[in-house]
Amino acid sequence: MEWWLLLSVILACLLLLIFIGVPIAFSLGALSLTLVLFLLGPDKLMLVSTTAFGQINNFALAAIPLFIFMAEIILHSGVSTDAFDMLSKWTGRLPGGLAVASQLTCTLFASVSGASTATAAAVGRIAVPEMLSRGYEKRLSCGSIAAGGALGALIPPSIYMIIYGTLVEESIGQLFMGGVVPGLMLSGMFITYIIIRCAFSPHLAPRMEGITWRERWRSLYKVWAILFLALAMLISIYLGIATPAEIAGVGCFLALVIGFAYRRLNWPAIKGAFLSTCRITCFIGWVLVAASLFGFVLSYLQLPQQLSQWLVEQSASPWLVIVGINIILIFLGCIMDPAGILLVTIPIFVPIIKALGFDPVWFGVMFVVNTEMAQITPPLGLNLYIIKGIAPSNVSLKDILIGAAPFMLLDSVGLALVIIFPQIILWLPSTMM
């Protein structure tokens, strides 16, 4: 069978399994085992176990449960509530001040969470009811939080970047640093859009009145803890003081110290944080094992290598290939979770971009910028449904989708910028020690 036909059949079978509701880990695992048995032979089954063990026996993966646990502790400590309260006092006089405070809170919480859904849920529980109670337009309120929460996938520590770095054997620290400037850029674009729109349409967001400078200055203490934690992690990674896994361990300890110092942690909260961390980590572990098997089989069959060679022989413009990859990712974002997109496509796309001479760190961060849109893209955008579950009953899913649409366009602009100007991603990693 021709290589292109075999690759097409494999991808079609994988998409069919996903569409009929088979979990992504079982879809990848079952298809990989079937290919090993029928194409490589039963004697190659030993390679399956060694490949799976080699993938999961990686010290870098220790960062995943640690960062997840840190985010859970921060969430239960109520730090996000304090941050929103402080920021709303300082931005209340701006057009769309509470929406601006929500975006800043999302950016701040993203720097200690590592996941977009956790960021959207943590900030949305506080900000959406507050904005609606103060007369903010429901589409702006809900759409802005759904988009702002997606920054959790890009601003370090990003779980997706840890997975990508592990799969392609790239520096997780450089990937983290590569996500800082694009994350802040997108956050700034969201805030600028909110201010400009609310300045021209003041009825969308009534301004807050009656906040004194004394209240503003006194509120600053509420944000020092999370700000210290975020900056300490970023500076440590940038200076090369410790690995991401080591920094995650220290971050967990500091998060616990913050929680106990605020006297908001109790045994049920800690138990809930442990259980949630176990569930998410087990899911990621199974998916990583299945993805490593899938990548091993494709590589053994030389399918990604032959696809790369074919593209090079066609003398196709490397940038045209990048545009095509991004179009595919945007389409997949409508029907798959970002983690699934990452694990299904990386074994195919990374050999191609390496053959075309692109930087894998740049590609990994660009990949996350693209899949960030998947969090607010129907019909599977997870952040849309999270905000729907938080919002009052008079807010429909249609309202949230319409409110998120302008932010989708801004995400598209941000994606175009990091493609046209790769240094947006690569500048900070290039200066690391």
Side-chain angles (χ1 to χ4, degrees), residues 142-359:
C142 296
S144 63
I145 299 295
L151 294 172
L154 180 60
I155 296 175
S158 167
I159 301 300
Y160 297 146
M161 290 183 187
I162 297 175
I163 296 173
Y164 175 87
T166 303
L167 289 175
V168 303
E169 298 181 350
E170 286 294 329
S171 166
I172 295 172
Q174 288 203 332
L175 288 165
F176 278 179
M177 289 297 103
V180 172
V181 176
L184 295 178
M185 178 186 73
L186 284 171
S187 177
M189 290 167 64
F190 293 166
I191 291 170
T192 303
Y193 163 75
I194 291 169
I195 292 174
I196 293 174
R197 186 180 178 194
C198 292
F200 283 97
S201 303
H203 65 279
L204 296 176
R207 298 195 187 193
M208 294 176 64
E209 302 289 347
I211 299 175
T212 65
W213 280 102
R214 179 182 175 84
E215 290 175 320
R216 290 190 179 101
W217 289 112
R218 290 187 64 182
S219 68
L220 287 177
Y221 80 93
K222 295 184 176 182
V223 78
W224 72 266
I226 189 172
L227 191 59
F228 168 77
L229 183 57
L231 289 176
M233 290 193 300
L234 286 176
I235 293 172
S236 299
I237 294 171
Y238 179 77
L239 296 178
I241 295 173
T243 66
E246 292 165 344
I247 291 166
V250 176
C252 282
F253 173 75
L254 292 177
L256 286 168
V257 170
I258 292 168
F260 285 121
Y262 283 11
R263 298 183 180 181
R264 292 172 180 168
L265 280 184
N266 50 32
W267 172 243
I270 296 175
K271 180 181 177 182
F274 270 118
L275 290 176
S276 180
T277 301
C278 288
R279 284 194 296 268
I280 298 171
T281 303
C282 289
F283 161 75
I284 293 174
W286 274 111
V287 172
L288 271 173
V289 167
S292 66
L293 293 179
F294 185 67
F296 160 74
V297 173
L298 291 184
S299 181
Y300 195 92
L301 295 172
Q302 295 287 303
L303 298 181
Q305 293 88 332
Q306 294 195 61
L307 178 59
S308 304
Q309 183 181 352
W310 178 80
L311 285 171
V312 172
E313 289 173 352
Q314 300 307 307
S315 299
S317 166
W319 293 105
L320 188 61
V321 174
I322 289 295
V323 171
I325 287 175
N326 277 281
I327 292 172
I328 293 171
L329 293 177
I330 291 171
F331 169 74
L332 291 176
C334 297
I335 56 176
M336 290 177 65
D337 176 80
I341 300 172
L342 177 71
L343 295 165
V344 169
T345 59
I346 284 304
I348 300 171
F349 287 160
V350 169
I352 293 174
I353 65 105
K354 286 183 176 179
L356 295 174
F358 290 106
D359 190 312

